[in-house]
Amino acid sequence: MSTPDRKAPTRADYVHWRTITTRWRDDDAYGHLNNATYYEYFDTAVNAYLFETTGVNVRKLPKIGIVAETSCRYLREIGFPEPVEAGLVVDKVGSSSVIYRIGLFQGPGEEAAAEGRFVHVYVDNTDPSRPVTPMPDEIREAVMPLWRQS
């Protein structure tokens, strides 16, 4: 499952942590986490962090982050019943976008079982079809501590 030319990320590659409880329904017919559930975990890790760190309901800000891109690199199987630890780091902070990386870990190992890329682009909350806008100050202040410059 691992990509030979890229090493698996480790716990040291992430800044913020969240434990996610797995559910019976998260597993597919083969007994491992359903592919779509990885994306739910990425979404939960990012948005829970933003809600908690800003102290506001980010859905009600004048400018909201919509997911413009997401991907997952699967490195080993995970699934119910053990909890998953999601590590969060920011790779890039632009004027109107943020690129997050989320590592999923299960059990005591140091290497991620999966790593996601999650891009938020900020738009006007009253008309999300309008062009991108600068991200709200609350969001910028929340993501800057997660940013690791390459």
Side-chain angles (χ1 to χ4, degrees):
M1 287 180 87
S2 180
T3 308
D5 58 333
R6 290 176 37 198
K7 78 175 202 166
T10 66
R11 291 180 185 273
D13 294 319
Y14 303 95
V15 177
H16 178 78
W17 293 91
R18 163 167 302 282
T19 300
I20 299 172
T21 302
T22 57
R23 303 162 301 181
W24 174 260
R25 73 180 196 144
D26 292 346
D27 284 0
D28 62 18
Y30 302 106
H32 54 78
L33 201 69
N34 187 296
N35 292 347
T37 306
Y38 287 81
Y39 292 93
E40 290 178 13
Y41 290 177
F42 300 155
D43 203 18
T44 295
V46 169
N47 286 297
Y49 173 81
L50 293 175
F51 265 78
E52 292 167 359
T53 305
T54 64
V56 299
N57 181 344
V58 297
R59 290 183 266 211
K60 296 186 178 190
L61 290 171
K63 299 168 187 175
I64 56 170
I66 59 169
V67 178
E69 178 186 334
T70 188
S71 63
C72 182
R73 196 164 57 115
Y74 304 97
L75 302 165
R76 66 178 171 77
E77 292 180 6
I78 58 177
F80 180 83
E82 278 190 75
V84 169
E85 292 178 276
L88 186 59
V89 69
V90 166
D91 281 340
K92 183 179 179 191
V93 179
S95 62
S96 59
S97 64
V98 181
I99 300 174
Y100 299 91
R101 264 187 307 116
I102 306 98
L104 299 182
F105 297 79
Q106 192 172 55
E110 287 299 310
E111 290 188 348
E115 184 174 58
R117 175 182 161 95
F118 192 88
V119 180
H120 262 165
V121 173
Y122 283 83
V123 298
D124 186 317
N125 195 2
T126 60
D127 184 4
S129 67
R130 291 179 55 187
V132 297
T133 62
M135 78 180 74
D137 291 338
E138 302 97 312
I139 301 297
R140 182 172 299 283
E141 289 171 16
V143 300
M144 291 308 290
L146 299 178
W147 186 28
R148 285 214 176 145
Q149 297 178 7
S150 305

